[in-house]
Amino acid sequence: MRHFLLACAATLALSLPAKAENVTVAVTAIVEHPALDAVRDGVKETLEAAGYKDGENLKFLYESAQGNPATAAQIARQFVGEDPTVIVPISTPSAQAVVSATKDIPVVFTAVSDPLGAQLVTDMDKPGGNVTGLSDMSPVAEHLALIKEILPEAKTIGYLYNSGEANSVSLLAVLKAEAEKAGLTVVESAATKSAEVQGAARALVGRADAIYIPTDNTIISALEGAVAVAEEAKLPLFTADTDSVSRGAIAALGFNYKDVGKQTGDIVVRILKGEQPGDIAVKVAAGTDLVVNKGAATKMGVTLPEAVVGRATRVID
């Protein structure tokens, strides 16, 4: 009988799903704003769906660098010292800090536009080493097409960005190339910290027909300053970040960053289950949303075409 019971117990154990082991996932972002917060939340939701529950078999750590690259480097060193199972840096500056700090702990970066340009990996398909992740390279050509559809007479696009953020510098090169194809000219205005954003936006008044803000964490963290200038000057403001439309931009064609976080979480789960990060290709995030803000358009002297409003995935009045 004892042998029979042991055999039954063994059979039952084999039939039950394996319980997720205790793990630590350390997440850091360069700054807190809705898009990056959504990425963090998406990662956590996917971990929970895969059986990793915070406070039970998962220790979920989170630190924001509050916009300071030196703090990002400090957080990276702190996390490496704590030896988590996986580190998830959100945004280019945080990813660069973490990748510089460890060659051993698995790293899954996310919300990074240009992983090659940021020198996080040397090959998107076969990253090798301890690093992989998810890119959110913006569909710049589509952004310009949207701006021209809303503003057919526009000739000059003002690019508001942080010249110290590799992501935004890479996107500037892409923007210039795509703008030339579209018959547009790009003028730049840089802010290296959030306190400079409003002044940098003001520098575009009279020089541009529209302001375009990329997925730049410094600018987006102080977006309201740029919006105030745009409303006062009747200078239409567009972003690549859909979460920024509810904060006063006219329109954005971009990613749902909760989905970006979930896609990132899928990669983290693969590593927790035994895959090596260097064997996982760096992916480009899937899916785009069109969000428009009718009230913001009115404040900036623009009437949104019905065709644009009609195909928007979200309309803010």
Side-chain angles (χ1 to χ4, degrees):
M1 177 64 73
R2 180 171 178 273
H3 292 300
F4 174 76
L5 291 173
L6 288 172
C8 288
T11 302
L12 180 62
L14 287 172
S15 66
L16 291 172
K19 185 178 180 182
E21 296 180 5
N22 293 337
V23 299
T24 299
V25 175
V27 181
T28 181
I30 189 61
V31 71
E32 290 177 289
H33 66 64
L36 301 191
D37 295 348
V39 175
R40 174 199 62 208
D41 295 344
V43 170
K44 193 172 184 179
E45 281 188 21
T46 297
L47 288 171
E48 184 168 335
Y52 299 95
K53 301 187 188 305
D54 192 20
E56 295 181 15
N57 58 350
L58 167 67
K59 186 177 181 181
F60 190 89
L61 307 175
Y62 174 73
E63 294 283 351
S64 166
Q66 303 299 330
N68 190 326
T71 304
Q74 182 181 349
I75 291 169
R77 291 191 296 270
Q78 172 192 325
F79 277 171
V80 170
E82 294 178 9
D83 194 29
T85 316
V86 181
I87 302 178
V88 182
I90 305 172
S91 77
T92 301
S94 289
Q96 289 174 319
V98 170
V99 169
S100 295
T102 181
K103 302 300 178 190
D104 303 310
I105 299 170
V107 176
V108 181
F109 61 78
T110 186
V112 171
S113 291
D114 185 6
L116 296 175
Q119 299 182 329
L120 301 177
V121 295
T122 56
D123 189 319
M124 296 277 280
D125 293 324
K126 298 177 181 178
N130 65 315
V131 181
T132 188
L134 194 75
S135 167
D136 65 342
M137 175 57 79
S138 295
V140 175
E142 287 88 344
H143 290 171
L144 292 177
L146 176 64
I147 293 172
K148 286 195 73 174
E149 185 177 2
I150 295 172
L151 303 172
E153 304 302 317
K155 300 295 182 187
T156 306
I157 304 298
Y159 186 67
L160 182 56
Y161 74 117
N162 177 358
S163 55
E165 190 164 321
N167 159 41
S168 299
V169 174
S170 297
L171 280 169
L172 174 58
V174 175
L175 178 66
K176 285 183 174 179
E178 294 297 339
E180 185 176 357
K181 296 176 190 174
L184 295 166
T185 302
V186 176
V187 294
E188 308 164 34
S189 188
T192 57
K193 53 189 177 182
S194 58
E196 298 174 356
V197 170
Q198 191 165 34
R202 196 169 284 119
L204 291 170
V205 176
R207 299 173 58 217
D209 299 317
I211 295 176
Y212 171 70
I213 296 175
T215 50
D216 184 304
N217 299 296
T218 300
I219 309 302
I220 291 173
S221 68
L223 182 72
E224 285 74 14
V227 168
V229 172
E231 290 178 355
E232 181 184 354
K234 296 291 187 285
L235 181 58
L237 185 149
F238 300 82
T239 79
D241 168 41
T242 54
D243 288 310
S244 294
V245 179
S246 62
R247 296 167 63 196
I250 287 179
L253 179 65
F255 300 104
N256 178 315
Y257 276 90
K258 175 68 79 69
D259 288 344
V260 170
K262 289 179 178 179
Q263 292 171 55
T264 306
D266 288 337
I267 300 172
V268 175
V269 169
R270 289 173 64 181
I271 292 170
L272 295 179
K273 290 185 175 179
E275 290 189 58
Q276 296 301 309
D279 295 334
I280 301 173
V282 175
K283 297 179 179 296
V284 176
T288 57
D289 286 346
L290 172 60
V291 183
V292 299
N293 187 327
K294 290 171 133 182
T298 299
K299 289 177 182 176
M300 295 176 198
V302 174
T303 300
L304 291 171
E306 284 302 319
V308 172
V309 175
R311 71 172 185 274
T313 49
R314 184 181 172 206
V315 177
I316 299 166
D317 291 323

